[in-house]
């Protein structure tokens, strides 16, 4: 079974600060994804990647950047965090999308 | 654009009750459809996958039926257990891009 890990699991940030969420997968999947989960919205796609060096915008990319330096790693970057970005963030890999355990981010 | 709709936000049942969750989708083609389940504190995980070739999927006692005529994709289970308490997502495959998730149905099963 695919293993997807995320770090940190919990993060408290201040408004205007920079936040980096990391994701690692060990199943050699080409595709990786970042979602956020909010009550009433389900999961919404932020960025995704088809492989190392590739990043694509999802449905709600504003305020987020992504980086895919290697097959295994995919990061989500909030350059200037805002309270509206308080959410639970999930990383997934593979066409059928194996999900990590999530990162709970609070921006004060 | 493509979308999925789950009208039931919350379903409350007792053990051994019948579960039925309704989902409708909108797209210009015949997509692959999924049901994902999310247990508290975990990420979503794949429960069922149904393609246009088979129209029905069965896994862990759950059954999903794909009706292209009514563009619906229902999930059902004959007899739920407390361990089935979770959030269930209807999901549409955009074919090579990412998945589109519905808003989820929270199922609570009391013993």
């Amino acid at each position: 079974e695919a293993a997807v890990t995320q770090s940190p699991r919990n993060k408290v940030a201040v408004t205007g600060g920079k936040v980096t969420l990391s994701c690692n997968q060990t199943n050699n999947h080409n595709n990786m994804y970042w979602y956020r989960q909010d009550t009433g919205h389900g999961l919404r796609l932020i960025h995704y990647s088809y492989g190392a060096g590739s990043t694509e915008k999802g449905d709600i990319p504003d305020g987020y950047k992504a980086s895919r330096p290697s097959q295994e790693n995919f990061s989500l970057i909030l350059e200037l965090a805002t309270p509206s970005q308080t959410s639970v963030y999930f990383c997934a890999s593979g066409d059928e999308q194996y999900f990590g355990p999530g990162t709970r981010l609070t921006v004060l | 654009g493509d979308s999925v709709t789950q009208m039931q936000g919350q379903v409350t049942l007792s053990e051994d009750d019948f579960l039925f969750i309704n989902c409708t989708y909108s797209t210009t083609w015949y997509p692959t459809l999924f049901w994902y389940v999310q247990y508290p504190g975990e990420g979503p995980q794949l429960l069922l996958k149904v393609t246009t070739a088979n129209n029905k999927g069965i896994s862990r006692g759950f059954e999903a039926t794909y009706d292209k005529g009514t563009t619906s994709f229902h999930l059902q289970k004959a007899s739920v257990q407390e361990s089935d308490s979770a959030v269930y997502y209807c999901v549409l495959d955009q074919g090579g891009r990412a998945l589109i998730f519905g808003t989820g149905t929270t199922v609570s099963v009391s013993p």
Side-chain angles (χ1 to χ4, degrees), chain B residues 15-20 61-63 76-81:
Chain B
E15 281 195 330
D16 298 323
D17 280 351
F18 173 70
L19 170 67
F20 182 88
F62 290 88
E63 180 177 312
Q76 62 186 51
K77 187 176 186 183
S79 176
V80 294
Q81 302 303 304

Side-chain angles (χ1 to χ4, degrees), chain B residues 10 13 34 40 94 98 100 102 107-108:
Chain B
Q10 177 98 28
L13 299 167
F34 303 87
Q94 296 187 83
I100 296 179
V107 174
S108 300

Side-chain angles (χ1 to χ4, degrees), chain B residues 16-67:
Chain B
D16 298 323
D17 280 351
F18 173 70
L19 170 67
F20 182 88
I21 303 176
N22 185 30
C23 171
T24 57
Y25 67 89
S26 175
T27 182
T28 57
W29 55 305
Y30 295 125
T32 294
L33 295 164
F34 303 87
W35 282 99
Y36 277 72
V37 59
Q38 184 177 22
Y39 299 102
E42 299 180 12
Q45 57 183 270
L46 179 63
L47 176 61
L48 281 171
K49 172 182 177 180
V50 181
T51 68
T52 55
N54 53 22
N55 292 333
K56 183 173 285 189
I58 297 174
S59 174
R60 304 188 228 170
F62 290 88
E63 180 177 312
T65 304
Y66 181 174
D67 186 333

Side-chain angles (χ1 to χ4, degrees), chain A residues 33 35 37 40 42-43 45 48 50 57-59 90 96-97 99-101, chain B residues 34 36 38 41-46 49 89 96-99 101-103:
Chain A
Y33 309 85
Y35 293 89
Q37 184 175 45
L43 284 96
L45 180 67
Y48 59 105
Y50 292 124
K57 293 182 179 179
D59 298 321
F90 287 98
E96 292 185 356
Q97 304 203 14
F99 281 82
Chain B
F34 303 87
Y36 277 72
Q38 184 177 22
E42 299 180 12
Q45 57 183 270
L46 179 63
K49 172 182 177 180
Y89 290 97
R97 198 175 175 264
L99 305 178
F101 283 75
T103 52

